[in-house]
Amino acid sequence: MLWYVIASLTPAMLIAAAALWGGVWPVLALLSITVHVAFMDRLGRAVPLSERSGRALTLALAVAHLLLLPLGVWAIGGAAHLEVWDRALIFAALGLFLGQISNSNAHELIHAPRRLHRRIGTAIYISLLHGHHVSAHLRVHHPAAATPADPNSAPKGMGFWHFLLSASWGEFRAGWRADTAQRARKVGARGLHPYVVYLGGAALALLTALLLGGVPGLLGYLGLAAYAQMQLLLSDYVQHYGLRRQQRADGRFEPIGPQHSWNAPKWYSAAMMLNAPRHSDHHMRPARAFPALEVTEEMPKLPYSLPIMAVIALAPPIWRRVMDARVARWGRG
């Protein structure tokens, strides 16, 4: 329990200190989620969590997110006690927290068995102006991962920047179609279309950001949301690049297996992201809580941690040099 708490909540506490007091805290906040993580990945192994304690951590992280985001918008928007460089460092640190920790936590929550937890996860995604990802992830990505039908599974040879444009629109459209089709199948379906909730929640979040930080705060909020969304799509890109399920003679695809996702079992970055880099097991057993996720020898492994691989993906020629031969060895390129 201890290492998961330390890895995921330490950046949150330092970012809060940075927003409230400035000084050395913005530097420490950024280092805690960059250099410190890379260093710790070279040391030791995480201690497994129980499922119960894991759920308590996801709820604590949700509270941290819902407090940190408005605090960060206020600080970035022009808090009088902060210098320009303080705000820049807070933006960078908070953006990484939202993209790597809050995204991972929201992902864990939308897969939870209890409706309340799923709604909290949805609220986190809405606060990042990415509510439609809930529908696209649950109704499209999981059934269709590693096939051409999934906009969030990149084929071999596609660079990240091409994927970013394609997946951003593709998942919005795919989620809309999946939700609409499901409602059409339910006779007398009641309630709002999920996209009304996503878009209405986004409008409310934008208004709140404007009230908290004025125009600078609103612009900062838009930047944070865009940065967090990009990091989520970077994770999808890295964890599914080039791996494909085989299509059978009847047109159906083989069941998803351990060979259809890339895994990055570096211990500290995995603990920070609630074992999201243990991706094969999650796709095979989506209801399994993050403390129980495993990595076995039959699962494809990335050469570096997920954050480092995400940085490499930003340079497509280097990415292909690192990854294309690995994809070919797994026979799914």
Side-chain angles (χ1 to χ4, degrees):
M1 177 65 177
L2 178 63
W3 283 114
Y4 286 90
V5 172
I6 291 173
S8 59
L9 283 176
T10 296
M13 292 186 290
L14 292 174
I15 292 166
L20 291 171
W21 301 308
V24 71
W25 295 109
V27 175
L28 293 177
L30 184 57
L31 290 177
S32 74
I33 202 167
T34 53
V35 175
H36 177 68
V37 176
F39 174 76
M40 292 298 290
D41 265 340
R42 296 177 174 270
L43 306 174
R45 295 173 64 90
V47 178
L49 270 170
S50 70
E51 184 168 339
R52 181 176 178 182
S53 60
R55 187 62 64 212
L57 178 57
T58 62
L59 295 176
L61 285 168
V63 172
H65 169 90
L66 296 173
L67 293 174
L68 269 185
L69 184 54
L71 179 63
V73 169
W74 167 76
I76 293 165
H81 65 291
L82 296 174
E83 303 290 346
V84 172
W85 53 83
D86 291 328
R87 295 178 200 134
L89 291 170
I90 291 168
F91 177 92
L94 180 55
L96 289 170
F97 177 87
L98 298 174
Q100 296 183 21
I101 299 175
S102 283
N103 267 329
S104 298
N105 188 48
H107 170 261
E108 179 70 15
L109 286 166
I110 65 172
H111 282 284
R114 292 187 60 184
R115 178 180 295 181
L116 175 61
H117 295 160
R118 295 195 300 271
R119 287 181 172 174
I120 293 171
T122 300
I124 293 172
Y125 279 124
I126 289 173
S127 74
L128 298 175
L129 309 182
H130 207 182
H132 61 273
H133 180 76
V134 177
S135 296
H137 182 81
L138 296 176
R139 306 197 192 288
V140 182
H141 180 62
H142 269 273
T147 76
D150 176 33
N152 291 66
S153 295
K156 180 183 175 184
M158 178 182 282
F160 170 69
W161 299 108
H162 180 187
F163 171 81
L164 179 63
L165 295 175
S166 173
S168 295
W169 170 241
E171 70 166 0
F172 184 93
R173 182 175 55 184
W176 169 273
R177 289 175 173 172
D179 276 340
T180 302
Q182 185 192 50
R183 288 172 64 82
R185 289 191 297 268
K186 290 184 177 180
V187 178
R190 296 179 179 179
L192 296 173
H193 192 290
Y195 271 60
V196 174
V197 178
Y198 303 151
L199 296 175
L204 181 61
L206 289 167
L207 177 60
T208 303
L210 182 63
L211 294 174
L212 281 171
V215 173
L218 176 61
L219 294 176
Y221 174 56
L222 289 170
L224 287 168
Y227 192 19
Q229 291 177 31
M230 187 184 82
Q231 289 175 82
L232 185 151
L233 292 175
L234 261 172
S235 293
D236 279 347
Y237 177 81
V238 168
Q239 291 176 127
H240 289 284
Y241 175 77
L243 300 177
R244 282 291 188 257
R245 289 152 64 186
Q246 296 297 303
Q247 191 169 18
R248 295 168 170 169
D250 62 2
R252 294 183 298 173
F253 289 91
E254 65 177 323
I256 196 159
Q259 72 275 26
H260 297 129
S261 302
W262 293 102
N263 301 270
K266 297 293 185 179
W267 80 279
Y268 195 81
S269 55
M272 181 182 73
M273 293 183 282
L274 307 187
N275 282 341
R278 298 184 175 191
H279 210 58
S280 291
D281 196 9
H282 169 68
H283 268 279
M284 291 187 294
R285 289 167 282 204
R288 174 173 277 195
F290 77 89
L293 294 176
E294 300 173 345
V295 178
T296 64
E297 290 302 318
E298 58 187 336
M299 298 174 180
K301 311 284 194 311
L302 294 165
Y304 308 107
S305 68
L306 188 57
I308 290 176
M309 293 304 299
V311 173
I312 294 173
L314 298 176
I318 300 175
W319 172 261
R320 287 193 290 269
R321 194 175 306 131
V322 171
M323 289 301 298
D324 281 4
R326 288 179 166 84
V327 171
R329 284 199 294 271
W330 281 93
R332 296 292 187 270

